[in-house]
């Protein structure tokens, strides 16, 4: 949209200015997001982007009502939390459910906060999320302010400069984590949802500290390029060092 470049540039400048003041700050950010993993292996266009100079006009055949799981992960430069599956227990098997503010708050309260206490970093980590409606429900905002304060939340509805909309090239989970995991998860045929969940869990827990640190370094590299490009999308540049 018309003012996207200005918002992207403002985010980059604010982020990089804080790094100038505290070079250790990026290593103390928990980057978080959710994604769908379909049993059929079809991609979710919210998390997968194709960058090209011309419209490649891609298409994919999607099975009707393909079983899927909705996964949350969060990571810093030194550890990863998850996977957490949004699901409800039935008389038979767990069933994937829609992410609502109440369910998201339960994730933060019963999974994320206890894990961060174990890592002894709940009082120092900055929590970053996108501005999806469930992420900014009143109950979620109250929980985040109670445990992270306004100064340690990067999100819409908080004073800190939120990540700009329509910017998957700046979302650490979008431009690395989900694609990386799906490339591994779908290397073999998956028959049932339990297989899908087991594969996701295996590959999340196999991510090394070196990979996490590289992911954060790549984010800083992208923001520096974004600054030089005055807010333009940057996937057309070579971003692999």
């Amino acid at each position: 949209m018309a003012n996207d470049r200005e918002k992207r540039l403002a985010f980059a400048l604010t982020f990089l200015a804080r790094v100038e003041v505290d070079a250790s700050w990026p290593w103390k950010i928990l980057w978080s997001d959710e994604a769908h993993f379909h049993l059929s292996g079809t991609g979710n266009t919210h998390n997968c982007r194709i960058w090209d100079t011309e419209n490649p006009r891609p298409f994919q055949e999607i099975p009707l009502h393909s079983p899927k799981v909705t996964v949350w992960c969060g990571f810093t430069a030194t550890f990863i939390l998850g996977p957490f599956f949004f699901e409800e227990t039935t008389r038979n098997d767990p069933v994937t459910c829609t992410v609502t503010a109440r369910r998201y708050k339960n994730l933060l309260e019963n999974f994320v906060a206890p894990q961060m206490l174990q890592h002894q970093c709940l009082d120092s980590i900055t929590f970053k999320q996108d501005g999806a409606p469930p992420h900014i429900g009143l109950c979620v905002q109250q929980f985040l302010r109670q445990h992270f304060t306004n100064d340690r939340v990067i999100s819409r509805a908080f004073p800190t400069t939120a990540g700009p909309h329509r910017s998957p090239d700046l979302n650490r989970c979008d431009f690395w984590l989900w694609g990386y995991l799906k490339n591994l998860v779908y290397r073999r045929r998956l028959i049932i949802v339990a297989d899908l969940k087991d594969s996701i869990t295996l590959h999340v827990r196999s991510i090394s500290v070196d990979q996490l640190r590289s992911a954060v370094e790549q984010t800083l590299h992208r923001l520096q390029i974004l600054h030089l490009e005055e807010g333009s999308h940057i996937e057309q540049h070579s971003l692999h060092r």
Side-chain angles (χ1 to χ4, degrees):
M1 296 182 68
N3 61 346
D4 277 2
R5 287 186 61 174
E6 289 79 4
K7 291 181 178 179
R8 287 164 55 82
L9 180 58
F11 176 74
L13 291 174
T14 301
F15 195 102
L16 293 172
R18 184 158 180 179
V19 174
E20 286 291 322
V21 175
D22 180 5
S24 68
W25 177 61
W27 316 113
K28 296 182 289 187
I29 296 175
L30 185 79
W31 314 79
S32 69
D33 198 13
E34 304 100 34
H36 297 314
F37 283 69
H38 289 261
L39 187 60
S40 62
T42 53
N44 175 9
T45 56
H46 177 74
N47 300 107
C48 300
R49 299 292 194 275
I50 298 174
W51 299 89
D52 206 340
T53 55
E54 297 180 0
N55 186 351
R57 304 192 183 282
F59 69 92
Q60 60 177 341
E61 295 182 0
I62 302 176
L64 187 63
H65 306 308
S66 171
K68 67 181 180 182
V69 295
T70 302
V71 185
W72 178 94
C73 284
F75 68 89
T76 71
T78 57
F79 64 85
I80 187 165
L81 302 183
F84 177 89
F85 299 96
F86 284 95
E87 55 192 15
E88 291 185 337
T89 303
T90 65
R91 292 182 179 179
N92 299 314
D93 297 322
V95 175
T96 297
C97 60
T98 302
V99 181
T100 64
R102 177 181 59 82
R103 289 170 178 150
Y104 187 70
K105 187 255 187 181
N106 288 340
L107 157 74
L108 298 175
E109 183 174 24
N110 300 318
F111 181 79
V112 176
Q115 291 282 318
M116 294 178 69
L117 283 172
Q118 289 184 17
H119 286 280
Q120 300 181 337
C121 63
L122 185 58
D123 60 350
S124 60
I125 285 290
T126 295
F127 185 82
K128 187 180 186 310
Q129 61 179 13
D130 65 26
H135 296 176
I136 56 172
L138 290 179
C139 62
V140 175
Q141 291 186 44
Q142 291 170 358
F143 181 87
L144 291 175
R145 288 191 174 97
Q146 177 184 352
H147 290 83
F148 296 93
T149 74
N150 276 330
D151 294 334
R152 291 192 292 115
V153 179
I154 302 176
S155 171
R156 189 159 61 97
F158 286 82
T160 50
T161 302
H165 296 303
R166 293 171 290 278
S167 297
D169 54 335
L170 301 181
N171 185 327
R172 183 67 267 181
C173 295
D174 279 346
F175 73 76
W176 170 65
L177 180 62
W178 301 133
Y180 170 78
L181 288 175
K182 289 181 179 182
N183 284 338
L184 296 174
V185 167
Y186 295 126
R187 282 184 178 177
R188 67 180 183 88
R189 186 184 179 196
L190 303 167
I191 306 300
I192 58 176
V193 169
D195 292 338
L196 176 60
K197 291 170 62 177
D198 287 346
S199 183
I200 294 169
T201 301
L202 171 66
H203 292 301
V204 167
R205 293 178 179 174
S206 298
I207 293 175
S208 69
V209 173
D210 285 344
Q211 287 175 291
L212 297 176
R213 186 172 183 85
S214 176
V216 176
E217 289 174 345
Q218 186 64 214
T219 301
L220 294 174
H221 181 50
R222 284 171 176 253
L223 289 169
Q224 290 163 353
I225 294 178
L226 179 64
H227 179 199
L228 295 175
E229 294 297 318
E230 299 183 339
S232 296
H233 282 279
I234 57 178
E235 285 294 336
Q236 68 271 26
H237 297 278
S238 175
L239 297 172
H240 301 287
R241 296 183 295 173

